[in-house]
Amino acid sequence: MIKRPRRLRKNQQIRDLVHEVSIDKSDLVYPMFIIDGETEDIASMPEIKRYSLNDLPKALSEVTAAGIKAVLYFGIPKHKDETGSEAYNYNGIVQRGIRLTKELYPELIVIADICLCEYTSHGHCGIVENNCVINDKTLPLLVKASVSCAEAGADIVAPSDMMDGRIAAIRTALDENTFENVLIMSYSVKYSSAFYGPFRDAADSAPAFGSRKSYQMDFRNKKEAVMETRLDIDEGADIIMVKPALPYLDVVKTVSENFSAPLAAYHVSGEYSMIKAAAQNGWIDEKAAVMESLTAMKRAGAKILITYYAVKAAKWLGEM
Ligand code: PBG
């Protein structure tokens, strides 16, 4: 009888010696909501908040103390309009949040999510005409939002809108505006997913009519993920992404095997809320479930893990 695999698992020291994949604090990205108003809880995402500018410094001190090296910012403006103009306002909420963060923590990597849905009155990710999102009229606005976040000090812009051609448009404009060193993390593979539900509460961005199916990907498709990623890399994406994460580990694996750009997996709001709800009911071991989920993403080929559990995970890693 062959016993070797059993011997390799015989005690914790040996298991640690031979283990293949582990999470590092530097892999983690913490998504944060910054609101133009008072700090608020998010009903469907317990323990996650929408931070006011006043409360942001205190939140960041906890985030950085835990050892988190990168944050991903979403802005929630006071006023929304048809063209999402607060997304590219010099004094917009996310721009002010970025400036404040860079003053306090110049080393912290600030990633600015670029999309219009948190800023438009109709909740869609682009310009709407006759109930349709118009791709090419949206591009210049995404470009303006990217340049204004770079100007505020973002290290990375992360377009999450899924319009075609946005990476090339944004790259060109960043370069023309002296932001050659600002990276683009593209939401290259973003499925139209039910798991974004809690985020839409958090960002107050549920579409007022229709769905995002005309621009986000159909979850029945995988070859399309390869095509979308190739286009984004050709257009200038520095970092690529698959989103959501756990239900799409096959896609993470395929994309990681086909491309050598650093790959991020986004453990989205619904994935967070499922674990959190079960944990709050005493139905699941929260720490174990989170660490297993994040490790699975790395095992599938992701390098960067974007998760609302980032701060907790960093603390847990510190205890291990
Ligand atoms: C904006 C955006 C969304 C998410 C990230 N950026 C929502 C959406 O596309 O509806 C989802 C993140 C999450 O669920 O955690 N377009």
Side-chain angles (χ1 to χ4, degrees), residues 31 33 45 72 74 113-118 125 160-161 187 190-191 193 195-200 205 207 212 216 243 266-270 308:
F33 302 99
M45 299 180 76
L72 170 62
F74 296 92
D113 183 271
I114 303 295
C115 194
L116 298 187
C117 65
E118 300 111 77
C125 303
S160 67
D161 51 278
Y187 285 68
K190 179 173 176 182
Y191 285 93
S193 171
F195 292 101
Y196 306 152
F199 173 95
R200 293 179 188 174
S205 67
R212 302 209 208 289
Q216 298 183 349
K243 172 185 177 192
Y266 198 142
H267 187 227
V268 301
S269 56
Y308 302 94

PDB file of all heavy atoms in Angstrom, residues 31 33 45 72 74 113-118 125 160-161 187 190-191 193 195-200 205 207 212 216 243 266-270 308, ligand 1:
ATOM      1  N   PRO A  31     -12.343  47.037  -0.001  1.00  0.00           N
ATOM      2  CA  PRO A  31     -13.256  47.993  -0.634  1.00  0.00           C
ATOM      3  C   PRO A  31     -13.941  48.851   0.435  1.00  0.00           C
ATOM      4  O   PRO A  31     -14.382  48.321   1.462  1.00  0.00           O
ATOM      5  CB  PRO A  31     -14.308  47.104  -1.324  1.00  0.00           C
ATOM      6  CG  PRO A  31     -13.874  45.686  -1.120  1.00  0.00           C
ATOM      7  CD  PRO A  31     -12.909  45.681   0.023  1.00  0.00           C
ATOM      8  N   PHE A  33     -16.681  52.362   1.149  1.00  0.00           N
ATOM      9  CA  PHE A  33     -17.661  53.320   0.627  1.00  0.00           C
ATOM     10  C   PHE A  33     -17.476  54.650   1.343  1.00  0.00           C
ATOM     11  O   PHE A  33     -17.444  54.687   2.579  1.00  0.00           O
ATOM     12  CB  PHE A  33     -19.079  52.800   0.885  1.00  0.00           C
ATOM     13  CG  PHE A  33     -19.339  51.452   0.260  1.00  0.00           C
ATOM     14  CD1 PHE A  33     -19.262  50.283   1.010  1.00  0.00           C
ATOM     15  CD2 PHE A  33     -19.639  51.345  -1.092  1.00  0.00           C
ATOM     16  CE1 PHE A  33     -19.476  49.038   0.434  1.00  0.00           C
ATOM     17  CE2 PHE A  33     -19.861  50.108  -1.678  1.00  0.00           C
ATOM     18  CZ  PHE A  33     -19.783  48.943  -0.911  1.00  0.00           C
ATOM     19  N   MET A  45     -25.125  44.363   4.664  1.00  0.00           N
ATOM     20  CA  MET A  45     -23.704  44.039   4.840  1.00  0.00           C
ATOM     21  C   MET A  45     -23.281  44.383   6.276  1.00  0.00           C
ATOM     22  O   MET A  45     -22.568  45.370   6.510  1.00  0.00           O
ATOM     23  CB  MET A  45     -22.832  44.813   3.837  1.00  0.00           C
ATOM     24  CG  MET A  45     -23.143  44.514   2.385  1.00  0.00           C
ATOM     25  SD  MET A  45     -22.093  45.440   1.231  1.00  0.00           S
ATOM     26  CE  MET A  45     -20.560  44.501   1.380  1.00  0.00           C
ATOM     27  N   LEU A  72      -9.919  50.073  -2.030  1.00  0.00           N
ATOM     28  CA  LEU A  72     -10.667  50.338  -3.273  1.00  0.00           C
ATOM     29  C   LEU A  72     -11.843  51.225  -2.902  1.00  0.00           C
ATOM     30  O   LEU A  72     -12.671  50.837  -2.078  1.00  0.00           O
ATOM     31  CB  LEU A  72     -11.159  48.996  -3.853  1.00  0.00           C
ATOM     32  CG  LEU A  72     -12.156  49.042  -5.005  1.00  0.00           C
ATOM     33  CD1 LEU A  72     -11.558  49.725  -6.232  1.00  0.00           C
ATOM     34  CD2 LEU A  72     -12.592  47.610  -5.380  1.00  0.00           C
ATOM     35  N   PHE A  74     -15.261  53.572  -3.364  1.00  0.00           N
ATOM     36  CA  PHE A  74     -16.519  53.859  -4.060  1.00  0.00           C
ATOM     37  C   PHE A  74     -17.100  55.122  -3.439  1.00  0.00           C
ATOM     38  O   PHE A  74     -17.159  55.223  -2.210  1.00  0.00           O
ATOM     39  CB  PHE A  74     -17.519  52.717  -3.864  1.00  0.00           C
ATOM     40  CG  PHE A  74     -17.075  51.415  -4.466  1.00  0.00           C
ATOM     41  CD1 PHE A  74     -16.375  50.485  -3.706  1.00  0.00           C
ATOM     42  CD2 PHE A  74     -17.336  51.121  -5.796  1.00  0.00           C
ATOM     43  CE1 PHE A  74     -15.951  49.281  -4.253  1.00  0.00           C
ATOM     44  CE2 PHE A  74     -16.921  49.923  -6.350  1.00  0.00           C
ATOM     45  CZ  PHE A  74     -16.230  49.006  -5.583  1.00  0.00           C
ATOM     46  N   ASP A 113     -12.488  53.023  -7.892  1.00  0.00           N
ATOM     47  CA  ASP A 113     -13.433  52.355  -8.788  1.00  0.00           C
ATOM     48  C   ASP A 113     -13.995  53.418  -9.730  1.00  0.00           C
ATOM     49  O   ASP A 113     -14.378  54.503  -9.300  1.00  0.00           O
ATOM     50  CB  ASP A 113     -14.571  51.728  -7.982  1.00  0.00           C
ATOM     51  CG  ASP A 113     -15.537  50.962  -8.864  1.00  0.00           C
ATOM     52  OD1 ASP A 113     -16.510  51.578  -9.357  1.00  0.00           O
ATOM     53  OD2 ASP A 113     -15.327  49.758  -9.059  1.00  0.00           O
ATOM     54  N   ILE A 114     -13.999  53.088 -11.014  1.00  0.00           N
ATOM     55  CA  ILE A 114     -14.513  54.046 -11.995  1.00  0.00           C
ATOM     56  C   ILE A 114     -15.789  53.485 -12.607  1.00  0.00           C
ATOM     57  O   ILE A 114     -15.774  52.466 -13.300  1.00  0.00           O
ATOM     58  CB  ILE A 114     -13.478  54.300 -13.113  1.00  0.00           C
ATOM     59  CG1 ILE A 114     -12.150  54.810 -12.534  1.00  0.00           C
ATOM     60  CG2 ILE A 114     -14.044  55.248 -14.177  1.00  0.00           C
ATOM     61  CD1 ILE A 114     -12.196  56.165 -11.871  1.00  0.00           C
ATOM     62  N   CYS A 115     -16.901  54.141 -12.297  1.00  0.00           N
ATOM     63  CA  CYS A 115     -18.176  53.739 -12.890  1.00  0.00           C
ATOM     64  C   CYS A 115     -19.143  54.890 -12.689  1.00  0.00           C
ATOM     65  O   CYS A 115     -18.908  55.750 -11.842  1.00  0.00           O
ATOM     66  CB  CYS A 115     -18.712  52.473 -12.241  1.00  0.00           C
ATOM     67  SG  CYS A 115     -20.049  51.734 -13.215  1.00  0.00           S
ATOM     68  N   LEU A 116     -20.237  54.885 -13.431  1.00  0.00           N
ATOM     69  CA  LEU A 116     -21.202  55.969 -13.255  1.00  0.00           C
ATOM     70  C   LEU A 116     -22.386  55.563 -12.385  1.00  0.00           C
ATOM     71  O   LEU A 116     -23.138  56.414 -11.931  1.00  0.00           O
ATOM     72  CB  LEU A 116     -21.717  56.453 -14.621  1.00  0.00           C
ATOM     73  CG  LEU A 116     -20.674  57.039 -15.569  1.00  0.00           C
ATOM     74  CD1 LEU A 116     -21.364  57.634 -16.801  1.00  0.00           C
ATOM     75  CD2 LEU A 116     -19.822  58.115 -14.900  1.00  0.00           C
ATOM     76  N   CYS A 117     -22.560  54.252 -12.133  1.00  0.00           N
ATOM     77  CA  CYS A 117     -23.838  53.823 -11.533  1.00  0.00           C
ATOM     78  C   CYS A 117     -24.094  54.390 -10.142  1.00  0.00           C
ATOM     79  O   CYS A 117     -25.247  54.558  -9.761  1.00  0.00           O
ATOM     80  CB  CYS A 117     -23.973  52.302 -11.552  1.00  0.00           C
ATOM     81  SG  CYS A 117     -22.781  51.444 -10.527  1.00  0.00           S
ATOM     82  N   GLU A 118     -23.045  54.689  -9.396  1.00  0.00           N
ATOM     83  CA  GLU A 118     -23.305  55.288  -8.078  1.00  0.00           C
ATOM     84  C   GLU A 118     -23.674  56.773  -8.214  1.00  0.00           C
ATOM     85  O   GLU A 118     -24.089  57.386  -7.242  1.00  0.00           O
ATOM     86  CB  GLU A 118     -22.065  55.217  -7.171  1.00  0.00           C
ATOM     87  CG  GLU A 118     -21.552  53.832  -6.877  1.00  0.00           C
ATOM     88  CD  GLU A 118     -20.205  53.603  -7.560  1.00  0.00           C
ATOM     89  OE1 GLU A 118     -19.178  54.087  -7.079  1.00  0.00           O
ATOM     90  OE2 GLU A 118     -20.230  52.931  -8.621  1.00  0.00           O
ATOM     91  N   CYS A 125     -24.763  52.199 -15.572  1.00  0.00           N
ATOM     92  CA  CYS A 125     -23.321  52.472 -15.572  1.00  0.00           C
ATOM     93  C   CYS A 125     -22.898  53.401 -16.702  1.00  0.00           C
ATOM     94  O   CYS A 125     -21.703  53.611 -16.922  1.00  0.00           O
ATOM     95  CB  CYS A 125     -22.550  51.149 -15.646  1.00  0.00           C
ATOM     96  SG  CYS A 125     -22.963  50.027 -14.295  1.00  0.00           S
ATOM     97  N   SER A 160     -15.163  49.692 -13.716  1.00  0.00           N
ATOM     98  CA  SER A 160     -16.036  48.543 -13.447  1.00  0.00           C
ATOM     99  C   SER A 160     -17.314  48.591 -14.274  1.00  0.00           C
ATOM    100  O   SER A 160     -18.248  47.839 -14.034  1.00  0.00           O
ATOM    101  CB  SER A 160     -16.403  48.500 -11.956  1.00  0.00           C
ATOM    102  OG  SER A 160     -17.215  49.596 -11.595  1.00  0.00           O
ATOM    103  N   ASP A 161     -17.331  49.484 -15.258  1.00  0.00           N
ATOM    104  CA  ASP A 161     -18.559  49.759 -16.008  1.00  0.00           C
ATOM    105  C   ASP A 161     -18.876  48.744 -17.099  1.00  0.00           C
ATOM    106  O   ASP A 161     -20.011  48.598 -17.504  1.00  0.00           O
ATOM    107  CB  ASP A 161     -18.386  51.113 -16.678  1.00  0.00           C
ATOM    108  CG  ASP A 161     -17.060  51.120 -17.423  1.00  0.00           C
ATOM    109  OD1 ASP A 161     -16.026  51.355 -16.779  1.00  0.00           O
ATOM    110  OD2 ASP A 161     -17.046  50.816 -18.627  1.00  0.00           O
ATOM    111  N   TYR A 187     -11.804  45.721 -14.525  1.00  0.00           N
ATOM    112  CA  TYR A 187     -12.784  44.675 -14.233  1.00  0.00           C
ATOM    113  C   TYR A 187     -13.020  43.991 -15.580  1.00  0.00           C
ATOM    114  O   TYR A 187     -14.020  44.200 -16.239  1.00  0.00           O
ATOM    115  CB  TYR A 187     -14.093  45.282 -13.758  1.00  0.00           C
ATOM    116  CG  TYR A 187     -14.146  45.827 -12.339  1.00  0.00           C
ATOM    117  CD1 TYR A 187     -13.429  46.961 -11.971  1.00  0.00           C
ATOM    118  CD2 TYR A 187     -14.976  45.235 -11.377  1.00  0.00           C
ATOM    119  CE1 TYR A 187     -13.528  47.475 -10.683  1.00  0.00           C
ATOM    120  CE2 TYR A 187     -15.080  45.755 -10.090  1.00  0.00           C
ATOM    121  CZ  TYR A 187     -14.353  46.871  -9.757  1.00  0.00           C
ATOM    122  OH  TYR A 187     -14.472  47.389  -8.489  1.00  0.00           O
ATOM    123  N   LYS A 190     -16.449  40.695 -15.780  1.00  0.00           N
ATOM    124  CA  LYS A 190     -17.445  41.033 -14.771  1.00  0.00           C
ATOM    125  C   LYS A 190     -18.792  40.495 -15.232  1.00  0.00           C
ATOM    126  O   LYS A 190     -19.359  40.965 -16.216  1.00  0.00           O
ATOM    127  CB  LYS A 190     -17.503  42.548 -14.582  1.00  0.00           C
ATOM    128  CG  LYS A 190     -18.541  42.965 -13.567  1.00  0.00           C
ATOM    129  CD  LYS A 190     -18.470  44.449 -13.277  1.00  0.00           C
ATOM    130  CE  LYS A 190     -19.572  44.862 -12.326  1.00  0.00           C
ATOM    131  NZ  LYS A 190     -19.552  46.297 -12.077  1.00  0.00           N
ATOM    132  N   TYR A 191     -19.254  39.505 -14.494  1.00  0.00           N
ATOM    133  CA  TYR A 191     -20.519  38.876 -14.854  1.00  0.00           C
ATOM    134  C   TYR A 191     -21.697  39.678 -14.307  1.00  0.00           C
ATOM    135  O   TYR A 191     -21.589  40.329 -13.267  1.00  0.00           O
ATOM    136  CB  TYR A 191     -20.553  37.445 -14.306  1.00  0.00           C
ATOM    137  CG  TYR A 191     -19.674  36.507 -15.102  1.00  0.00           C
ATOM    138  CD1 TYR A 191     -18.352  36.262 -14.735  1.00  0.00           C
ATOM    139  CD2 TYR A 191     -20.160  35.893 -16.248  1.00  0.00           C
ATOM    140  CE1 TYR A 191     -17.545  35.419 -15.479  1.00  0.00           C
ATOM    141  CE2 TYR A 191     -19.354  35.046 -17.006  1.00  0.00           C
ATOM    142  CZ  TYR A 191     -18.048  34.813 -16.623  1.00  0.00           C
ATOM    143  OH  TYR A 191     -17.256  33.987 -17.362  1.00  0.00           O
ATOM    144  N   SER A 193     -24.488  39.597 -12.156  1.00  0.00           N
ATOM    145  CA  SER A 193     -24.593  38.640 -11.052  1.00  0.00           C
ATOM    146  C   SER A 193     -25.569  39.074  -9.974  1.00  0.00           C
ATOM    147  O   SER A 193     -25.601  40.237  -9.576  1.00  0.00           O
ATOM    148  CB  SER A 193     -23.202  38.461 -10.427  1.00  0.00           C
ATOM    149  OG  SER A 193     -23.274  37.712  -9.240  1.00  0.00           O
ATOM    150  N   PHE A 195     -25.138  38.268  -7.059  1.00  0.00           N
ATOM    151  CA  PHE A 195     -24.324  38.461  -5.854  1.00  0.00           C
ATOM    152  C   PHE A 195     -23.928  39.917  -5.613  1.00  0.00           C
ATOM    153  O   PHE A 195     -23.244  40.218  -4.646  1.00  0.00           O
ATOM    154  CB  PHE A 195     -23.076  37.564  -5.910  1.00  0.00           C
ATOM    155  CG  PHE A 195     -23.416  36.096  -5.812  1.00  0.00           C
ATOM    156  CD1 PHE A 195     -23.446  35.296  -6.943  1.00  0.00           C
ATOM    157  CD2 PHE A 195     -23.733  35.519  -4.591  1.00  0.00           C
ATOM    158  CE1 PHE A 195     -23.772  33.954  -6.861  1.00  0.00           C
ATOM    159  CE2 PHE A 195     -24.063  34.177  -4.503  1.00  0.00           C
ATOM    160  CZ  PHE A 195     -24.079  33.388  -5.642  1.00  0.00           C
ATOM    161  N   TYR A 196     -24.305  40.828  -6.519  1.00  0.00           N
ATOM    162  CA  TYR A 196     -24.019  42.256  -6.295  1.00  0.00           C
ATOM    163  C   TYR A 196     -25.151  42.941  -5.510  1.00  0.00           C
ATOM    164  O   TYR A 196     -25.078  44.140  -5.256  1.00  0.00           O
ATOM    165  CB  TYR A 196     -23.847  43.032  -7.614  1.00  0.00           C
ATOM    166  CG  TYR A 196     -22.820  42.464  -8.574  1.00  0.00           C
ATOM    167  CD1 TYR A 196     -22.955  42.675  -9.951  1.00  0.00           C
ATOM    168  CD2 TYR A 196     -21.729  41.741  -8.123  1.00  0.00           C
ATOM    169  CE1 TYR A 196     -22.021  42.171 -10.848  1.00  0.00           C
ATOM    170  CE2 TYR A 196     -20.802  41.217  -9.025  1.00  0.00           C
ATOM    171  CZ  TYR A 196     -20.959  41.437 -10.376  1.00  0.00           C
ATOM    172  OH  TYR A 196     -20.049  40.935 -11.272  1.00  0.00           O
ATOM    173  N   GLY A 197     -26.197  42.179  -5.168  1.00  0.00           N
ATOM    174  CA  GLY A 197     -27.364  42.780  -4.513  1.00  0.00           C
ATOM    175  C   GLY A 197     -27.026  43.667  -3.325  1.00  0.00           C
ATOM    176  O   GLY A 197     -27.412  44.850  -3.293  1.00  0.00           O
ATOM    177  N   PRO A 198     -26.295  43.164  -2.324  1.00  0.00           N
ATOM    178  CA  PRO A 198     -26.002  44.007  -1.153  1.00  0.00           C
ATOM    179  C   PRO A 198     -25.194  45.255  -1.507  1.00  0.00           C
ATOM    180  O   PRO A 198     -25.409  46.318  -0.929  1.00  0.00           O
ATOM    181  CB  PRO A 198     -25.200  43.066  -0.237  1.00  0.00           C
ATOM    182  CG  PRO A 198     -25.630  41.685  -0.643  1.00  0.00           C
ATOM    183  CD  PRO A 198     -25.861  41.767  -2.125  1.00  0.00           C
ATOM    184  N   PHE A 199     -24.289  45.147  -2.476  1.00  0.00           N
ATOM    185  CA  PHE A 199     -23.517  46.327  -2.912  1.00  0.00           C
ATOM    186  C   PHE A 199     -24.458  47.424  -3.413  1.00  0.00           C
ATOM    187  O   PHE A 199     -24.249  48.603  -3.154  1.00  0.00           O
ATOM    188  CB  PHE A 199     -22.546  45.949  -4.033  1.00  0.00           C
ATOM    189  CG  PHE A 199     -21.823  47.118  -4.658  1.00  0.00           C
ATOM    190  CD1 PHE A 199     -20.565  47.484  -4.207  1.00  0.00           C
ATOM    191  CD2 PHE A 199     -22.398  47.861  -5.692  1.00  0.00           C
ATOM    192  CE1 PHE A 199     -19.894  48.572  -4.780  1.00  0.00           C
ATOM    193  CE2 PHE A 199     -21.747  48.940  -6.261  1.00  0.00           C
ATOM    194  CZ  PHE A 199     -20.484  49.294  -5.806  1.00  0.00           C
ATOM    195  N   ARG A 200     -25.487  47.011  -4.131  1.00  0.00           N
ATOM    196  CA  ARG A 200     -26.391  48.029  -4.691  1.00  0.00           C
ATOM    197  C   ARG A 200     -27.166  48.742  -3.590  1.00  0.00           C
ATOM    198  O   ARG A 200     -27.520  49.898  -3.740  1.00  0.00           O
ATOM    199  CB  ARG A 200     -27.288  47.399  -5.756  1.00  0.00           C
ATOM    200  CG  ARG A 200     -26.438  46.991  -6.958  1.00  0.00           C
ATOM    201  CD  ARG A 200     -27.208  46.321  -8.075  1.00  0.00           C
ATOM    202  NE  ARG A 200     -26.269  45.816  -9.078  1.00  0.00           N
ATOM    203  CZ  ARG A 200     -26.620  45.081 -10.133  1.00  0.00           C
ATOM    204  NH1 ARG A 200     -27.893  44.779 -10.334  1.00  0.00           N
ATOM    205  NH2 ARG A 200     -25.708  44.678 -10.979  1.00  0.00           N
ATOM    206  N   SER A 205     -27.298  52.018  -5.831  1.00  0.00           N
ATOM    207  CA  SER A 205     -27.059  52.058  -7.272  1.00  0.00           C
ATOM    208  C   SER A 205     -27.847  51.019  -8.059  1.00  0.00           C
ATOM    209  O   SER A 205     -27.476  50.668  -9.173  1.00  0.00           O
ATOM    210  CB  SER A 205     -25.556  51.858  -7.548  1.00  0.00           C
ATOM    211  OG  SER A 205     -25.164  50.540  -7.191  1.00  0.00           O
ATOM    212  N   PRO A 207     -30.293  49.646 -10.647  1.00  0.00           N
ATOM    213  CA  PRO A 207     -30.852  50.325 -11.814  1.00  0.00           C
ATOM    214  C   PRO A 207     -32.349  50.579 -11.639  1.00  0.00           C
ATOM    215  O   PRO A 207     -33.059  49.707 -11.141  1.00  0.00           O
ATOM    216  CB  PRO A 207     -30.572  49.361 -12.966  1.00  0.00           C
ATOM    217  CG  PRO A 207     -30.048  48.101 -12.381  1.00  0.00           C
ATOM    218  CD  PRO A 207     -29.732  48.335 -10.939  1.00  0.00           C
ATOM    219  N   ARG A 212     -28.421  45.120 -15.861  1.00  0.00           N
ATOM    220  CA  ARG A 212     -27.119  45.426 -16.460  1.00  0.00           C
ATOM    221  C   ARG A 212     -26.715  44.358 -17.476  1.00  0.00           C
ATOM    222  O   ARG A 212     -25.550  44.267 -17.847  1.00  0.00           O
ATOM    223  CB  ARG A 212     -26.055  45.517 -15.366  1.00  0.00           C
ATOM    224  CG  ARG A 212     -26.343  46.548 -14.294  1.00  0.00           C
ATOM    225  CD  ARG A 212     -25.055  47.091 -13.710  1.00  0.00           C
ATOM    226  NE  ARG A 212     -25.155  47.545 -12.354  1.00  0.00           N
ATOM    227  CZ  ARG A 212     -25.793  48.639 -11.945  1.00  0.00           C
ATOM    228  NH1 ARG A 212     -26.428  49.392 -12.827  1.00  0.00           N
ATOM    229  NH2 ARG A 212     -25.807  48.980 -10.678  1.00  0.00           N
ATOM    230  N   GLN A 216     -22.919  43.795 -18.800  1.00  0.00           N
ATOM    231  CA  GLN A 216     -22.159  42.830 -18.006  1.00  0.00           C
ATOM    232  C   GLN A 216     -22.293  41.439 -18.632  1.00  0.00           C
ATOM    233  O   GLN A 216     -23.209  41.173 -19.402  1.00  0.00           O
ATOM    234  CB  GLN A 216     -22.655  42.835 -16.559  1.00  0.00           C
ATOM    235  CG  GLN A 216     -22.454  44.201 -15.897  1.00  0.00           C
ATOM    236  CD  GLN A 216     -22.868  44.233 -14.444  1.00  0.00           C
ATOM    237  OE1 GLN A 216     -23.491  43.315 -13.932  1.00  0.00           O
ATOM    238  NE2 GLN A 216     -22.520  45.329 -13.769  1.00  0.00           N
ATOM    239  N   LYS A 243     -14.820  38.649 -11.528  1.00  0.00           N
ATOM    240  CA  LYS A 243     -15.789  39.054 -10.517  1.00  0.00           C
ATOM    241  C   LYS A 243     -17.151  38.506 -10.879  1.00  0.00           C
ATOM    242  O   LYS A 243     -17.546  38.644 -12.046  1.00  0.00           O
ATOM    243  CB  LYS A 243     -15.816  40.584 -10.498  1.00  0.00           C
ATOM    244  CG  LYS A 243     -16.877  41.193  -9.648  1.00  0.00           C
ATOM    245  CD  LYS A 243     -16.885  42.679  -9.813  1.00  0.00           C
ATOM    246  CE  LYS A 243     -18.034  43.212  -8.989  1.00  0.00           C
ATOM    247  NZ  LYS A 243     -18.325  44.575  -9.259  1.00  0.00           N
ATOM    248  N   TYR A 266     -12.558  39.250  -7.172  1.00  0.00           N
ATOM    249  CA  TYR A 266     -13.386  40.109  -6.320  1.00  0.00           C
ATOM    250  C   TYR A 266     -14.428  39.262  -5.609  1.00  0.00           C
ATOM    251  O   TYR A 266     -15.364  38.772  -6.220  1.00  0.00           O
ATOM    252  CB  TYR A 266     -14.055  41.195  -7.173  1.00  0.00           C
ATOM    253  CG  TYR A 266     -14.600  42.397  -6.410  1.00  0.00           C
ATOM    254  CD1 TYR A 266     -14.502  43.680  -6.947  1.00  0.00           C
ATOM    255  CD2 TYR A 266     -15.220  42.273  -5.173  1.00  0.00           C
ATOM    256  CE1 TYR A 266     -15.006  44.793  -6.276  1.00  0.00           C
ATOM    257  CE2 TYR A 266     -15.711  43.374  -4.491  1.00  0.00           C
ATOM    258  CZ  TYR A 266     -15.610  44.622  -5.046  1.00  0.00           C
ATOM    259  OH  TYR A 266     -16.121  45.706  -4.378  1.00  0.00           O
ATOM    260  N   HIS A 267     -14.197  39.098  -4.318  1.00  0.00           N
ATOM    261  CA  HIS A 267     -15.129  38.395  -3.431  1.00  0.00           C
ATOM    262  C   HIS A 267     -16.227  39.416  -3.111  1.00  0.00           C
ATOM    263  O   HIS A 267     -16.030  40.293  -2.264  1.00  0.00           O
ATOM    264  CB  HIS A 267     -14.321  38.015  -2.178  1.00  0.00           C
ATOM    265  CG  HIS A 267     -14.997  37.144  -1.191  1.00  0.00           C
ATOM    266  ND1 HIS A 267     -14.980  37.425   0.149  1.00  0.00           N
ATOM    267  CD2 HIS A 267     -15.656  35.976  -1.326  1.00  0.00           C
ATOM    268  CE1 HIS A 267     -15.618  36.458   0.809  1.00  0.00           C
ATOM    269  NE2 HIS A 267     -16.029  35.572  -0.070  1.00  0.00           N
ATOM    270  N   VAL A 268     -17.337  39.334  -3.824  1.00  0.00           N
ATOM    271  CA  VAL A 268     -18.264  40.477  -3.854  1.00  0.00           C
ATOM    272  C   VAL A 268     -19.205  40.510  -2.642  1.00  0.00           C
ATOM    273  O   VAL A 268     -19.212  39.600  -1.801  1.00  0.00           O
ATOM    274  CB  VAL A 268     -19.083  40.506  -5.169  1.00  0.00           C
ATOM    275  CG1 VAL A 268     -18.164  40.601  -6.366  1.00  0.00           C
ATOM    276  CG2 VAL A 268     -20.015  39.298  -5.259  1.00  0.00           C
ATOM    277  N   SER A 269     -20.017  41.557  -2.632  1.00  0.00           N
ATOM    278  CA  SER A 269     -20.888  41.823  -1.482  1.00  0.00           C
ATOM    279  C   SER A 269     -21.756  40.623  -1.101  1.00  0.00           C
ATOM    280  O   SER A 269     -21.873  40.291   0.083  1.00  0.00           O
ATOM    281  CB  SER A 269     -21.761  43.038  -1.785  1.00  0.00           C
ATOM    282  OG  SER A 269     -22.498  42.851  -2.979  1.00  0.00           O
ATOM    283  N   GLY A 270     -22.375  39.981  -2.084  1.00  0.00           N
ATOM    284  CA  GLY A 270     -23.255  38.851  -1.773  1.00  0.00           C
ATOM    285  C   GLY A 270     -22.492  37.691  -1.163  1.00  0.00           C
ATOM    286  O   GLY A 270     -23.008  36.980  -0.290  1.00  0.00           O
ATOM    287  N   TYR A 308     -14.428  42.343   1.330  1.00  0.00           N
ATOM    288  CA  TYR A 308     -14.912  43.117   2.477  1.00  0.00           C
ATOM    289  C   TYR A 308     -14.418  42.499   3.784  1.00  0.00           C
ATOM    290  O   TYR A 308     -14.563  43.087   4.845  1.00  0.00           O
ATOM    291  CB  TYR A 308     -16.447  43.199   2.443  1.00  0.00           C
ATOM    292  CG  TYR A 308     -16.941  43.832   1.156  1.00  0.00           C
ATOM    293  CD1 TYR A 308     -17.308  43.053   0.058  1.00  0.00           C
ATOM    294  CD2 TYR A 308     -16.971  45.218   1.010  1.00  0.00           C
ATOM    295  CE1 TYR A 308     -17.711  43.620  -1.135  1.00  0.00           C
ATOM    296  CE2 TYR A 308     -17.372  45.806  -0.181  1.00  0.00           C
ATOM    297  CZ  TYR A 308     -17.736  45.001  -1.250  1.00  0.00           C
ATOM    298  OH  TYR A 308     -18.122  45.581  -2.432  1.00  0.00           O
TER     299      TYR A 308
HETATM  300  C1  PBG B   1     -20.176  49.297 -10.112  1.00  0.00           C
HETATM  301  C2  PBG B   1     -19.785  48.143  -9.295  1.00  0.00           C
HETATM  302  C3  PBG B   1     -20.569  47.117  -8.766  1.00  0.00           C
HETATM  303  C4  PBG B   1     -19.738  46.347  -7.973  1.00  0.00           C
HETATM  304  C5  PBG B   1     -18.471  46.903  -8.040  1.00  0.00           C
HETATM  305  N1  PBG B   1     -18.520  48.002  -8.883  1.00  0.00           N
HETATM  306  C6  PBG B   1     -22.013  46.856  -8.857  1.00  0.00           C
HETATM  307  C7  PBG B   1     -22.666  46.460 -10.085  1.00  0.00           C
HETATM  308  O1  PBG B   1     -22.066  46.288 -11.143  1.00  0.00           O
HETATM  309  O2  PBG B   1     -23.883  46.365  -9.997  1.00  0.00           O
HETATM  310  C8  PBG B   1     -20.164  45.163  -7.151  1.00  0.00           C
HETATM  311  C9  PBG B   1     -19.334  44.893  -5.966  1.00  0.00           C
HETATM  312  C10 PBG B   1     -19.926  43.977  -4.981  1.00  0.00           C
HETATM  313  O3  PBG B   1     -21.017  43.394  -5.140  1.00  0.00           O
HETATM  314  O4  PBG B   1     -19.282  43.833  -3.948  1.00  0.00           O
HETATM  315  N2  PBG B   1     -20.518  49.032 -11.403  1.00  0.00           N
END
